[in-house]
Amino acid sequence: MPLGTTGWSVWRDAVLRSTGFPIDGLDRLAAPEAAAAADAFLAGEAAEPLFDAEFERALAAGSAVCRDLAADPLLREAVTWQSTAALSALDGLLRADPDEPRRNKRRERERLVTRYWQRYCAKNETIGFFGPAAWATVDPRAASITTRVGDRLVRDRAVHFEHWALTAFAHRLAEDPQVRRWLPPARQPHLTLDEAGRRVLRPVQPPIPVSPADLAALVRCDGRGPAATVIADLVAAGVVRTGDDGHLLLERLAERGLLSWRGDLPQGPEAESVLRELVAGIGDPVLRARVTGELDRLTAARDEVAAAAGDADRLGTALAGLAAEFTAVTGRPAQRKAGQTYAGRGLCFEEAVRDVDVVVGGRLLADLAEPMALLLGAARWLTAELADAYGTALRELYEDLAAETDEVRLADLWYLAQGPLFGTGERPVDAVAREFGARWAKLFGLDGEPAGGPSTTGPLHFTSAELASAAAAAFPADRPGWSAGRLHSPDLQICAPDVDAVNRGDYLAVLGELHTAWPTFDCAVFTRWHPDRDALRRAMAADLGEHRIRPLYSTDWPRYSGRVAHTLDGPTDRQLGVVPAPGADPDRLLPATSVVVTPDLVAHAPDGRGRPLLEMFSALLAIHAVDGFKLVHGRPHTPRITVDKLVVARETWRTTVAETGLADVAGERAKYLAVRRWRRALGLPDRIFVKLGTEIKPVFVDLTSPLHAASLCGMVSGSARVDRAAAVTISEVLPDVGGHWLVDAQGRRYSSELRLQIVDPEAAR
């Protein structure tokens, strides 16, 4: 549907992300009286005993709240899903005598509760019942927002294995020679077999010559049939004498890294069904029955976990049962990457659908159309500039390679391009992002602000009409830089006390993030619950075209996992093999070593199809487009900036770990005073979000709370051990507790955001 009269279009599907705990839960640890006493004491306006008394009262109250939270069944269930070790900390709080002195262990446990509580109340993370999402409908005929709230928090929930757990089971099977003969061997997805030259092409390394027997085996190992069939063919063709010889031949090729023969599974929702197919393909009935029974044991234990959802104690028992079954069946630990925060550590995870129906209507879109068009035009420019910058960088890499070889292959270019893409030095994206921010600073009148000192500028308000011509001149691109540059996904938080206020026009919309050139709906965490995934797939092809390139990612790629895997691939899309990666579809695989790049920077596949070189890098360029879309950055302070009814930038402060002065403070009282002193020095509000450069995500911090203050100092101290010069970015909390429109059946408010998907009217150049 049209986005007003801007020429841009909005998908009729949208996603509502939300928290599972009410937003007013953040008030439970607030201590405004202690904050006022601390500020007065620091200003020399109040006696120390007065502050000490208020501080001790706040500590005692916060400690009591943490104890209550530790006993809360919903919080206990949420923590159980994420960390059984953290659940033990909650139990420790409940066992402790509340009248005993607060020693180190108890303080650590209270800070742990504080961190989990802020996360579940304030952050829309789309995981489990504590971060449920729902598909919404965009309808121009409807009011701004209409909702139908169900009786429950979640309408549906499901439990899935983590990809690593399924892979561990498959790899354990591959260790059994009797099972392995029924698993399909496949050439590694980044390698190309040159049959005429009797060699294997590798990225940035000389080709590997292969013997006639190796060649015969590699030709047959295409991932479509079990090793038993490949070996039988080799025996029948006289390549090897016996089946044992054929098995040894395949073993040797796997050891050389030429074959994947471990039952590797695709990263995505289909992994479990693919594993079932592998097990069903075991030709020995007795062996198949045994392995099927082992897999059934695991899935039955997983189903017990699903059945226990909603009961924290039963859930803990079920998760322990699953862990015991997993270790018994696989011989492997039931957790990976222990101690890491965002690692998919457990064996399974829950996804949930919020029990709400939402329609986003025409008035809201009409209000936001013009300011969104300004941002979207800038996003188009960003993709065009990135295309130019990386086009130049790829041209230089191509010419360097062409000077050394008669034939430049995409695999070699891909490997060398990782420096300009993700290296630690100056990259093309850095110059583009700086220019992007500088142009916005000029539009907003911030270019005259001192870069090295605090800003005195207050909130800035503009109309889209007064910015339109200047924005068009600042961002003059007439079309996006590559095909996926047509799609952008803004996250919008609606700041209003209820739906009626939104429909009256009494609201602000807040831009959380604009996922530039990133079709965020193409993600397993969302598409699992869509009623017509094929419709989404057709819509994606209509906007971005067919024959798209989808890189195959290794399992340690930090921005890709089974939960966020692409799920809207079309039948003509190709999987680009660039590294050893699981789950290649032999019918869609395109090894990067098989693609030849010509001087016109066109990548030619073996099927004769040519694509602009930039299209091969589309997914990586999109990462830079998302990261580069920052309207204001680099200054110690930037004000809130509003265009019409859209807040395009929250008020933000920037400093470093060392400059905070919080890293080396000892003692809760000293930490609290240090935090209040730091707040006054920067002019911060009492509620903030803090993002440390050494962490992935921001956290909510209430600077009036002694527990929050101690938690913040602990995070800064941990960051200082890694890098004292690491950035610290602080932003205002908007909307705050009273400004959330999404409610449940009991009228409790929840943090939420709407994610739209918007299409550029122009195709890529």
Side-chain angles (χ1 to χ4, degrees):
M1 58 163 286
L3 180 64
T5 59
T6 65
W8 296 78
S9 300
V10 184
W11 278 39
R12 292 180 181 269
D13 291 286
V15 172
L16 176 72
R17 306 172 71 207
S18 65
T19 60
F21 287 77
I23 189 67
D24 62 5
L26 296 177
D27 289 336
R28 296 189 64 178
L29 290 170
E33 294 85 0
D39 294 346
F41 171 60
L42 290 171
E45 299 169 355
E48 186 172 1
L50 175 62
F51 161 67
D52 287 339
E54 288 293 351
F55 178 72
E56 290 300 326
R57 273 194 287 272
L59 268 184
S63 184
V65 169
C66 285
R67 186 177 175 85
D68 289 345
L69 293 176
D72 181 271
L74 284 179
L75 180 69
R76 292 180 63 81
E77 183 186 356
V79 172
T80 301
W81 278 114
Q82 299 208 286
S83 172
T84 54
L87 186 66
S88 298
L90 268 62
D91 291 337
L93 271 183
L94 295 177
R95 288 193 301 268
D97 184 342
D99 296 324
E100 289 183 353
R102 297 173 59 257
R103 304 190 187 280
N104 283 342
K105 180 64 75 173
R106 181 170 163 189
R107 288 195 288 267
E108 290 172 5
R109 289 166 174 167
E110 290 174 353
R111 289 196 291 270
L112 181 72
V113 170
T114 300
R115 288 194 292 270
Y116 274 112
W117 187 241
Q118 65 82 22
R119 180 178 178 183
Y120 296 149
C121 292
K123 300 179 69 178
N124 308 303
E125 291 192 305
T126 316
I127 174 86
F129 80 90
F130 42 94
W135 282 94
T137 300
V138 179
D139 184 351
R141 301 163 298 179
S144 292
I145 291 183
T146 58
T147 62
R148 188 208 64 79
V149 178
D151 295 333
R152 301 163 295 169
L153 175 66
V154 296
R155 178 174 300 169
D156 200 359
R157 58 205 302 176
V159 177
H160 307 279
F161 281 115
E162 290 280 3
H163 180 266
W164 76 266
L166 296 171
T167 295
F169 181 86
H171 287 178
R172 201 274 297 166
L173 296 183
E175 294 167 359
D176 183 342
Q178 295 304 311
V179 176
R180 197 177 193 196
R181 65 190 299 265
W182 299 107
L183 298 179
R187 296 184 294 276
Q188 289 283 11
H190 62 303
L191 303 178
T192 296
L193 181 61
D194 176 10
E195 296 184 47
R198 217 169 72 190
R199 58 183 188 161
V200 175
L201 306 181
R202 304 179 293 172
V204 297
Q205 291 179 295
I208 301 175
V210 293
S211 68
D214 292 342
L215 179 65
L218 288 169
V219 167
R220 290 168 171 81
C221 291
D222 58 5
R224 292 184 174 87
T229 301
V230 172
I231 293 169
D233 286 349
L234 293 173
V235 172
V239 176
V240 294
R241 287 192 312 108
T242 67
D244 288 343
D245 291 339
H247 188 93
L248 289 173
L249 176 59
L250 297 189
E251 286 278 13
R252 189 175 72 247
L253 292 172
E255 290 170 358
R256 294 168 64 189
L258 302 181
L259 287 183
S260 171
W261 189 20
R262 303 179 68 195
D264 286 335
L265 307 172
Q267 295 190 72
E270 72 276 21
E272 185 174 343
S273 63
V274 170
L275 178 58
R276 282 280 176 189
E277 292 171 5
L278 291 178
V279 172
I282 297 174
D284 182 332
V286 175
L287 187 62
R288 182 173 64 248
R290 175 175 68 79
V291 175
T292 300
E294 292 173 345
L295 183 54
D296 286 346
R297 284 172 58 187
L298 285 184
T299 54
R302 186 271 316 274
D303 292 344
E304 281 294 319
V305 172
D311 185 326
D313 293 335
R314 185 182 167 197
L315 176 64
T317 301
L319 286 170
L322 174 60
E325 286 285 16
F326 179 82
T327 300
V329 168
T330 67
R332 290 163 167 78
Q335 190 180 62
R336 67 161 192 170
K337 298 183 178 180
Q340 297 189 27
T341 306
Y342 306 105
R345 302 182 303 268
L347 294 169
C348 61
F349 61 92
E350 183 191 58
E351 302 285 18
V353 179
R354 192 177 191 96
D355 192 10
V356 65
D357 296 305
V358 177
V359 177
V360 180
R363 177 171 178 175
L364 181 69
L365 294 176
D367 286 346
L368 302 180
E370 296 301 331
M372 279 303 309
L374 297 178
L375 300 173
L376 295 166
R380 177 196 286 174
W381 179 90
L382 183 62
T383 67
E385 291 296 303
L386 286 173
D388 286 344
Y390 278 97
T392 299
L394 292 172
R395 162 66 66 187
E396 293 172 355
L397 292 175
Y398 174 86
E399 290 174 351
D400 289 344
L401 287 170
E404 299 175 0
T405 180
D406 294 334
E407 191 173 64
V408 175
R409 293 191 174 268
L410 175 63
D412 298 335
L413 259 176
W414 186 279
Y415 181 85
L416 295 178
Q418 298 311 301
L421 281 162
F422 298 110
T424 56
E426 177 75 7
R427 306 163 302 168
V429 64
D430 299 322
V432 173
R434 281 196 300 271
E435 180 62 21
F436 185 74
R439 294 186 181 210
W440 277 113
K442 185 174 182 179
L443 274 174
F444 295 143
L446 295 174
D447 52 327
E449 287 289 322
S455 170
T456 57
T457 303
L460 299 177
H461 301 270
F462 301 94
T463 67
S464 53
E466 67 183 299
L467 291 177
S469 60
F475 303 106
D478 59 354
R479 59 187 61 246
W482 63 92
S483 60
R486 291 191 71 195
L487 275 181
H488 309 292
S489 297
D491 288 334
L492 298 174
Q493 290 189 278
I494 309 301
C495 185
D498 51 43
V499 168
D500 289 341
V502 181
N503 292 333
R504 291 194 307 269
D506 185 15
Y507 72 91
L508 278 178
V510 183
L511 179 69
E513 189 171 8
L514 181 62
H515 302 269
T516 309
W518 193 282
T520 58
F521 290 1
D522 185 10
C523 179
V525 74
F526 299 136
T527 57
R528 287 182 195 274
W529 302 110
H530 194 275
D532 190 352
R533 196 179 307 172
D534 285 339
L536 292 180
R537 188 174 289 110
R538 290 191 298 271
M540 193 74 71
D543 284 342
L544 301 185
E546 299 182 334
H547 304 282
R548 288 179 293 151
I549 294 297
R550 315 305 294 271
L552 284 169
Y553 297 98
S554 64
T555 53
D556 58 358
W557 179 249
R559 302 203 187 202
Y560 197 79
S561 68
R563 289 192 69 241
V564 298
H566 300 148
T567 51
L568 299 181
D569 291 8
T572 63
D573 294 346
R574 301 298 296 272
Q575 295 177 335
L576 184 65
V578 292
V579 292
D585 178 350
D587 294 324
R588 297 172 51 218
L589 177 63
L590 179 64
T593 44
S594 73
V595 180
V596 176
V597 181
T598 50
D600 54 355
L601 295 192
V602 173
H604 297 272
D607 64 2
R609 180 174 294 277
R611 297 173 177 83
L613 183 59
L614 277 175
E615 291 296 325
M616 311 303 285
F617 287 88
S618 174
L620 302 188
L621 289 173
I623 293 173
H624 288 318
V626 172
D627 292 345
F629 193 93
K630 301 291 187 292
L631 302 192
V632 287
H633 57 81
R635 299 171 185 274
H637 171 259
T638 49
R640 180 192 300 181
I641 304 171
T642 306
V643 181
D644 297 342
K645 298 177 75 68
L646 178 63
V647 177
V648 299
R650 293 178 172 94
E651 186 173 11
T652 304
W653 299 258
R654 296 169 187 84
T655 183
T656 67
V657 166
E659 290 170 350
T660 64
L662 304 178
D664 304 314
V665 184
E668 288 183 303
R669 180 183 184 277
K671 288 177 180 178
Y672 189 65
L673 289 173
V675 165
R676 297 305 299 177
R677 191 180 296 114
W678 174 67
R679 169 197 173 275
R680 182 177 62 182
L682 291 187
L684 302 176
D686 279 329
R687 295 175 186 263
I688 56 174
F689 278 104
V690 178
K691 168 69 168 63
L692 300 178
T694 55
E695 296 292 333
I696 296 176
K697 297 181 179 181
V699 298
F700 170 87
V701 179
D702 187 326
L703 299 179
T704 71
S705 164
L707 290 176
H708 273 282
S711 178
L712 174 62
C713 290
M715 290 188 297
V716 173
S717 179
S719 185
R721 289 192 289 271
V722 178
D723 181 8
R724 296 185 73 88
V728 179
T729 304
I730 307 108
S731 59
E732 65 173 320
V733 175
L734 185 72
D736 206 338
V737 170
H740 293 267
W741 59 272
L742 180 64
V743 298
D744 63 13
Q746 289 72 44
R748 295 172 296 200
R749 292 189 181 123
Y750 294 79
S751 175
S752 66
E753 66 183 25
L754 284 167
R755 178 169 293 180
L756 306 175
Q757 196 148 277
I758 301 180
V759 187
D760 195 321
E762 303 297 333
R765 58 191 182 186

